[in-house]
Amino acid sequence: MLVLVLAVVVLRGFVDGDAWAGGDGRDAWAWTLVALAVPAWALDALDGYVARRTGSVTDRGARLDSGVDGLLVLVLSVAVVPLAPWALVGGLLLPVFLAVQVVRPAWRRPLPPRPWRRIAGGTTTGTLVIGMAPVWPEVLVQVAVALAVVLVTWSFTVDVRWLERQVVGA
């Protein structure tokens, strides 16, 4: 629910012009986003932990979690576009990956658990959340977001290479 509310606030910011405004208009919008995004990010970290601890992990739950995580990153990357347009690259990785699965069945294989995937996703989400706070110099947000996008792109690249190697090895 938080991600959907966050998406509405981001959309309103672009429609009303707050996303592009300077000063107090943008600051109020950005702080609203931070107030919604921090709990969403925290719950994202908590849900998988709770599922693993309680033995309630399912493939369906993992897919749902991954989809919501991807939507959160997409919404946050759109929110950061006025400061760092390249954030959208990181936000579009999962939707593009899912779209390619339609025409490339090899990409539908389950991926083995990898700690770097969680690290890359969490770091990207956290960078976008923290970067929205209007207390950072613009150049710092731009560099941090660029590094996060490189990290998550690397993670996707590793997974795609693994999936493609499974086809060659099959």
Side-chain angles (χ1 to χ4, degrees):
M1 287 305 293
L2 275 174
V3 176
L4 294 177
V5 171
L6 191 59
V8 169
V9 173
V10 168
L11 182 60
R12 286 290 307 257
F14 279 91
V15 170
D16 296 344
D18 294 336
W20 301 101
D24 293 340
R26 174 156 172 70
D27 287 358
W29 177 73
W31 281 119
T32 301
L33 292 177
V34 170
L36 292 168
V38 166
W41 181 37
L43 289 170
D44 173 37
L46 187 62
D47 62 358
Y49 174 79
V50 169
R52 285 186 297 278
R53 285 295 209 202
T54 60
S56 56
V57 174
T58 65
D59 289 340
R60 186 180 210 177
R63 282 192 303 274
L64 176 64
D65 181 54
S66 179
V68 172
D69 295 350
L71 181 59
L72 177 60
V73 171
L74 178 59
V75 168
L76 295 174
S77 68
V78 169
V80 176
V81 159
L83 298 175
W86 47 90
L88 207 49
V89 171
L92 289 173
L93 285 171
L94 183 61
V96 168
F97 180 80
L98 295 174
V100 171
Q101 286 181 341
V102 173
V103 296
R104 185 78 177 137
W107 286 23
R108 295 183 206 147
R109 293 174 186 262
L111 291 162
R114 300 279 193 239
W116 76 71
R117 198 176 300 123
R118 276 200 307 261
I119 292 167
T123 300
T124 301
T125 307
T127 301
L128 294 169
V129 169
I130 293 167
M132 285 188 304
V135 296
W136 309 108
E138 234 178 87
V139 69
L140 180 63
V141 173
Q142 292 168 343
V143 170
V145 168
L147 292 172
V149 167
V150 167
L151 177 65
V152 76
T153 302
W154 168 81
S155 177
F156 269 86
T157 302
V158 168
D159 286 340
V160 166
R161 287 183 66 195
W162 184 88
L163 289 167
E164 287 298 324
R165 284 185 175 151
Q166 300 312 301
V167 173
V168 174

